[in-house]
Amino acid sequence: MKPYNPAIAARSIRRCISQTSIRPTTHTRLAHRIAPASSRAISSSPSTRHNPTTSTGTVDPTEVSHFNALASSWWDPHGPSRLLHLMNPLRHTFITQCRSSDAPTSLVPQKLRYLDIGCGGGIFAESAARLPTTLSVTAIDPTPEVLKIAEGHKRRDPTLMSAGKLTYLNTSIEDLPLPASPTDAYDVVTLFEVLEHVNAPGPFLEHLLPHVKPGGWLILSTIARTWTSWVVTNVMAEDVLGIVPKGTHEWSKYVNEDELRGWFAKKHGWGSVKSLGVVYVPGIGWREVKGGEQWGNYFLGVRRDA
């Protein structure tokens, strides 16, 4: 645990105030946070750290560098990725809840195909590949050093080495080939703790949608852009407790649950939306909390109409 540093906390407060003091109206702010692909220019500068020379505009190169630096500690359950390890069981629980809400006829026993976007070192991808109901997992990430760790860890388990069981690809969602047809897409597309690290949430999500097959689910987790989340993630987790590496989160990139719901409501063919708020309790772990999606971490599941 790092000692409390008033100077660091003060700088974080001043930075946040300077970001929010120039915020325009609610409608204009929402347009900048989640813009449809047809309005890419609106969200072309959601972050001052964006590098306009990169070919994949929604991927922040600073974020890639940050997570490359954390690669070697990814599988340390007590290291910088500790909170991700603890959250993983809730990911599976939420996916099961979303799929179980489908009509019974759509739940005929089948082997599922997963696409895990921003897979990091493979915490979720490995666990999904081991499920008896899984046919295959394709996991992608733009950070090469992290994927080296994922590949190395995968080789420790012979059950993951069978052809097509778990495939890692060093690529961004923009560069991932589209499915030949909707039925060739994935049953479950996951996006865990990624949306808060991209430059333009709207264009980024647009690239995800074609990869979900009709009747399939897009499952994501992210952080609401509220004062509570700023205190928890930026001040407490990074500045005070030091349980998350400094610079992991940028509060202005967070996306609220109602913003996501509103964005998907305008998308034809995307019907059922489910959400679940979660909170981390020190010494206990992650717990579900009613209404938590309004002020902190939350899961969101969106079903593509069959």
Side-chain angles (χ1 to χ4, degrees), residues 37-179:
S38 59
S39 302
R40 189 179 181 92
I42 295 178
S43 57
S44 61
S45 57
S47 168
T48 57
R49 299 193 298 180
H50 173 56
N51 183 347
T53 64
T54 57
S55 60
T56 52
T58 63
V59 177
D60 190 329
T62 306
E63 300 282 4
V64 173
S65 298
H66 175 79
F67 287 105
N68 268 335
L70 299 177
S72 62
S73 61
W74 203 275
W75 281 96
D76 179 0
H78 303 291
S81 299
R82 176 170 173 264
L83 297 186
L84 301 182
H85 286 273
L86 294 175
M87 180 182 279
N88 204 47
L90 271 180
R91 295 168 172 174
H92 289 287
T93 298
F94 185 67
I95 291 173
T96 299
Q97 290 175 356
C98 288
R99 296 197 69 251
S100 63
S101 67
D102 289 342
T105 55
S106 67
L107 291 179
V108 177
Q110 59 175 312
K111 294 284 189 176
L112 302 176
R113 296 176 64 241
Y114 287 81
L115 172 62
D116 186 26
I117 300 170
C119 63
I123 295 172
F124 173 78
E126 279 199 11
S127 61
R130 293 190 184 97
L131 295 176
T133 56
T134 296
L135 175 64
S136 66
V137 176
T138 299
I140 70 172
D141 200 287
T143 48
E145 295 304 318
V146 171
L147 276 189
K148 289 179 183 178
I149 298 298
E151 283 284 3
H153 198 271
K154 165 188 168 181
R155 296 190 182 96
R156 300 181 182 183
D157 186 347
T159 63
L160 300 177
M161 294 303 294
S162 58
K165 189 65 173 179
L166 174 57
T167 303
Y168 288 114
L169 300 175
N170 182 204
T171 186
S172 64
I173 188 61
E174 289 92 340
D175 296 326
L176 185 69
L178 293 174

Side-chain angles (χ1 to χ4, degrees), residues 232-304:
V232 172
T233 62
N234 293 79
V235 178
M236 295 303 297
E238 293 189 15
D239 292 342
V240 180
L241 300 179
I243 59 176
V244 175
K246 184 68 178 173
T248 297
H249 299 110
E250 185 174 338
W251 183 80
S252 63
K253 287 185 174 182
Y254 296 174
V255 183
N256 293 334
E257 189 260 4
D258 62 336
E259 293 173 342
L260 281 175
R261 279 183 177 271
W263 190 85
F264 278 103
K266 298 176 182 178
K267 296 297 171 184
H268 177 71
W270 292 85
S272 178
V273 179
K274 294 187 175 299
S275 61
L276 173 69
V278 295
V279 63
Y280 176 71
V281 181
I284 298 178
W286 291 96
R287 290 293 183 269
E288 299 179 16
V289 55
K290 186 175 182 180
E293 61 270 22
Q294 304 300 325
W295 52 267
N297 293 73
Y298 64 93
F299 289 95
L300 193 83
V302 190
R303 183 178 184 271
R304 183 175 181 180

